[in-house]
Amino acid sequence: MESKNKKKKDFFETFASKVAHATGSTPAFLVAFAIVVTWGICGPVFNYSETWQLVINTGTTIITFLMVFLIQKSQNKDSLAMQLKLNELLASSKLASNRLVDIEDLTEEEMLIINRYYSKLNELAKKERALHESHSLDEAKEGHQYKIRPNKLKKSKRPVTKKPQNPKNT
């Protein structure tokens, strides 16, 4: 029974992929265009009746309704494949941040936070003189920690020094 369900699933995936690919082709567009032109030419023959209008409305509604599901199925598969490829690239790179693997599972708010980090990295990259200088999210975090740490150390271990007085003010 399990292999029967797998065959049905494989059949639908294959069918959805082929239909989505075929309907996005030039011949499919030309066929659809020919149908619309033929329908338009038939208007005077049918005195532009309600039935004549209903034919095109019903046909396009049914086709659109079914195509939405087929295209979405195909898009879901393509999107998953793209995510897996990107995850592989991130996982295989020593310098890439692993926090971005499966980022699509984060909330939009969490993604916006990461987007702000990338904006900061963009600012850092613009300040660099070398075009090929690279920064990562981990470097940004290390830089942030580095900036925080000295301030804490400065506040707690700062020697008290008096400012030199301006001779003009005395």
Side-chain angles (χ1 to χ4, degrees), residues 14-31 67 74:
T14 304
F15 176 74
S17 265
K18 287 183 179 181
V19 170
H21 182 73
T23 55
S25 68
T26 302
F29 172 79
L30 293 175
V31 167
M67 287 303 298
S74 180

Side-chain angles (χ1 to χ4, degrees), residues 137-151:
L137 289 177
D138 291 323
E139 285 175 330
K141 183 178 178 184
E142 288 171 11
H144 179 68
Q145 292 300 322
Y146 176 78
K147 290 176 186 176
I148 291 173
R149 219 173 293 134
N151 288 334

Side-chain angles (χ1 to χ4, degrees), residues 47-67:
N47 295 321
Y48 302 102
S49 67
E50 287 184 18
T51 304
W52 173 79
Q53 292 176 20
L54 191 62
V55 167
I56 197 72
N57 288 338
T58 304
T60 56
T61 301
I62 291 170
I63 290 169
T64 302
F65 179 77
L66 295 174
M67 287 303 298

Side-chain angles (χ1 to χ4, degrees), residues 129-161:
R129 291 186 179 161
L131 288 174
H132 300 291
E133 189 69 31
S134 176
H135 298 284
S136 71
L137 289 177
D138 291 323
E139 285 175 330
K141 183 178 178 184
E142 288 171 11
H144 179 68
Q145 292 300 322
Y146 176 78
K147 290 176 186 176
I148 291 173
R149 219 173 293 134
N151 288 334
K152 288 181 180 176
L153 291 174
K154 286 178 189 175
K155 288 178 184 176
S156 63
K157 297 183 180 180
R158 183 184 302 174
V160 179
T161 58

